[in-house]
Structure formats: structure tokens, C-alpha cells
Amino acid sequence: MTIRVLAAGDHFVQNRLLIDAIRHAVPTEVDIRELTLPWPVVPFGRVGEVDEASDVEEELIEALRGVEVCVTQMAPLTKRVLDASPDLRLFCVSRGGPVNANLEAAARAGVAVTFAPGRNAVATAEHTLAMLLAATRRIPQTHADLAAGVWRGDYYTYDNVGPELEGNTVGLVGYGAIGRRVARMLEGFGANVLVHDPYVAAPNSVGLPELLERSLFVSLHARATPETAGLIGATEIAAMPKGSVLVNCARGALLDYDALCDALDSGHLFGAAMDVFPEEPIPQGSRLLTTPNLVMTPHLAGASKETAMKAAAIVAADVARYVRGEPLAHVATP
């Protein structure tokens, strides 16, 4: 019997990548429909009761008629969508976490939800290192001045130059797939690496207060949970050495951004680099847009061609397991 699949890709994990991966992984004939979602041209947001999804409930409900399997990155699996899609049995999210799916409602409806752990670990680790270097060497600011025709020799003064990685200590808050890769890269630079992660046995593991006090560079890699919300606030930033650098390519909820801006304004932090924010897109009038020595990118640390291809391959592999009647590899539903 032919299985009907909906490829609900977007402009990053494209439908052609999802379809090619499914055709390669699934040995039997599948009937594949397509729905193209607007992300990242149109930002994601809250849809119904789920987060970080494209607002396409109506289009998704229509496209899921008679569909048994859906592969997507940003489609909203809400209770409303589930109630309108009685044939759906598998919903594969090509992300590190299926925040765009109502897992409890899916379980009640008999729909398995899978995800794609580790798909962007390499890209995010590389971006983290790039952001760390950009903030420490003030690459965006110096480039902007040169592009405006201004040659500033004062960037070379002692008080304006940053520290080196070699021989200095970098603290990693979180030691999952990304944190481990960042640690290996930093060791190649000759940095001393400390780790704080209460859920993982890690080398050079210390408590958070000790990590903050000893680290000239701190990079956040923890997951956003109720326990980690606001993990780094004014007290924690004040505990970091004067002239240190803070990087966050994980989740905006981990950090108090007002405290960050205060520390940059006062000069306590030499610099900071952020890829994630408490509100995305950053609203007009935000302090983040005028705070000095802050490098920002628009939540794209995990963006690489390899990430998109890995994401498609991971979800396609679970589609193949489903077709063969085998246990799914990355199930999120209870």
C-alpha cells in the first residue's frame, strides 16, 4: 500500500531536500505532496498553543487531508490541526527540538512526533567560535568604520584591544553536542576550557560560580528549561572578570539582556556576541540596538547547507523506519 506523505518544507530545509532524502531512504513507493512554508522570510512565532512555528494552520489542515506522514521544520502541530487530520500517524520535525508540536495532544491522537537531534551542532559550534573572535577582535566595528572611510588608529591602543584565546580560560555553560564541539575547537586554540553542566559528566567540570569567576570568556550552550530561565543575570555577569566576553548562541531565555547591556555600558564586559534574543525579531527601540561592543546575528548560528541536508536525512530515516515497522529513533511524544 502506498503511503501518502506531506513535505512541508520552507526556504531553509527545502522540500527538494526532504523529498530527495525520503526517496533515498524509503524502499517502497510513497505519494509525496508539497507545502512550502514562508520561514525564514516570514519569522516564526506562537501559533495556537505551540511556539516557533509558521502561522499556516489553515493551509496545513488542507494539505494534511488523507496524509499519514508529515515531514517539516516549522509547521504547527496544534490540537486544532490534529483534530482536523485523522489520518496523520507520524509528524517528523527536522529540528533539534519539536517546540512547534503539541506533544501531549499528539500522543492522545496516536500521532508519533520525531525530531532531529544534532542536526546543527557543527554549524552552531563554528558560529559560536566566529562570534567569540568577532567580539574579542571587534571585527564588525572596525569593518564598519573602514567601510565608512574612517581609519581609526585608536583601536590599536592597549585599552581597546582584546585578549587572546591561547592561554586564557573559556567557560562553557552546557556540554551537549554543541558544547563538546566548541570545547574541541577551543583546545585547538590553546585555551583552557572549564565546563558547567549538572546533567553531563564533563572534563574540567566546575560549579557555575567558579566557572564565572575563572573564565575570561563565557559561552552559553544550555537548553532553555524552567530551571535555566534567567540563568545568567546581573549577579552572574558581575562575577565575571572585568574585561571579559560573553557569548550566547543557545537560547535568549538563558540571559538577562538588560543586565548584559548594563555591563557593556559600564565597561565591565569588554564585549559580547548574541545570536538569540528575548524577543525575535528585536523590536525597534530595544537597548540592544544601541549598546556598544555588542555583536549580533539574527538567530542563524545553526544555518549551513550541511544542517539542512542533515535535517532532511534524519527525518527521512525515521520515515523509513515507520514504513518498515521498526522502532523510531528520535521520538518526542510520551
Side-chain angles (χ1 to χ4, degrees):
M1 185 173 107
T2 300
I3 292 177
R4 183 169 289 171
V5 177
L6 173 65
D10 49 57
H11 299 292
F12 177 53
V13 182
Q14 298 178 339
N15 276 332
R16 67 179 182 85
L17 299 177
L18 293 169
I19 292 169
D20 287 350
I22 291 169
R23 298 281 189 210
H24 178 77
V26 178
T28 59
E29 183 65 26
V30 290
D31 175 14
I32 303 179
R33 296 180 180 179
E34 295 185 48
L35 173 67
T36 300
L37 308 187
W39 190 85
V41 178
V42 178
F44 59 55
R46 188 165 182 83
V47 179
E49 71 278 12
V50 303
D51 289 315
E52 297 186 14
S54 291
D55 191 4
V56 293
E57 274 187 308
E58 295 292 344
E59 299 93 325
L60 184 62
I61 288 170
E62 181 61 30
L64 283 174
R65 295 190 188 283
V67 167
E68 188 172 344
V69 176
C70 178
V71 290
T72 188
Q73 180 179 219
M74 294 291 176
L77 188 65
T78 60
K79 186 177 184 303
R80 180 167 174 250
V81 170
L82 286 160
D83 288 344
S85 309
D87 296 311
L88 186 64
R89 288 294 172 267
L90 177 63
F91 191 84
C92 299
V93 179
S94 61
R95 308 170 67 175
V99 294
N100 52 312
N102 184 331
L103 299 181
E104 292 185 1
R108 289 194 298 270
V111 176
V113 176
T114 69
F115 61 109
R119 64 163 198 162
N120 64 355
V122 172
T124 304
E126 290 181 355
H127 193 86
T128 297
L129 191 59
M131 293 286 272
L132 182 60
L133 292 169
T136 303
R137 294 306 178 93
R138 295 195 168 156
I139 292 171
Q141 298 98 312
T142 52
H143 169 81
D145 283 333
L146 282 175
V150 179
W151 182 283
R152 286 185 52 184
D154 62 305
Y155 277 121
Y156 213 111
T157 60
Y158 183 84
D159 289 337
N160 281 331
V161 296
E164 297 176 353
L165 287 173
E166 183 172 345
N168 280 312
T169 299
V170 184
L172 304 180
V173 182
Y175 199 66
I178 297 167
R180 289 194 296 272
R181 284 173 170 83
V182 173
R184 290 201 297 270
M185 293 176 184
L186 290 167
E187 287 164 358
F189 276 82
N192 305 313
V193 178
L194 295 179
V195 173
H196 172 71
D197 192 327
Y199 305 103
V200 177
N204 302 321
S205 184
V206 296
L208 182 59
E210 182 179 351
L211 179 144
L212 296 170
E213 290 172 5
R214 292 176 56 187
S215 300
L216 194 57
F217 307 90
V218 173
S219 185
L220 307 184
H221 300 285
R223 286 194 173 276
T225 67
E227 292 75 27
T228 60
L231 182 66
I232 305 298
T235 300
E236 288 74 24
I237 294 174
M240 295 170 61
K242 181 174 174 57
S244 51
V245 176
L246 178 61
V247 176
N248 186 9
C249 291
R251 289 293 176 182
L254 301 175
L255 177 63
D256 181 337
Y257 281 76
D258 278 326
L260 171 73
C261 291
D262 289 342
L264 288 167
D265 284 336
S266 71
H268 177 71
L269 289 179
F270 177 82
M274 302 288 125
D275 183 60
V276 291
F277 305 93
E279 185 177 349
E280 298 178 2
I282 300 171
Q284 292 297 315
S286 169
R287 291 181 66 189
L288 293 168
L289 302 178
T290 56
T291 296
N293 302 321
L294 176 59
V295 179
M296 297 184 290
T297 52
H299 202 152
L300 50 70
S304 70
K305 285 182 167 57
E306 287 81 1
T307 292
M309 291 186 287
K310 289 174 191 174
I314 292 169
V315 295
D318 259 338
V319 174
R321 293 183 186 96
Y322 173 81
V323 170
R324 295 192 297 262
E326 298 173 0
L328 302 172
H330 308 295
V331 183
T333 33

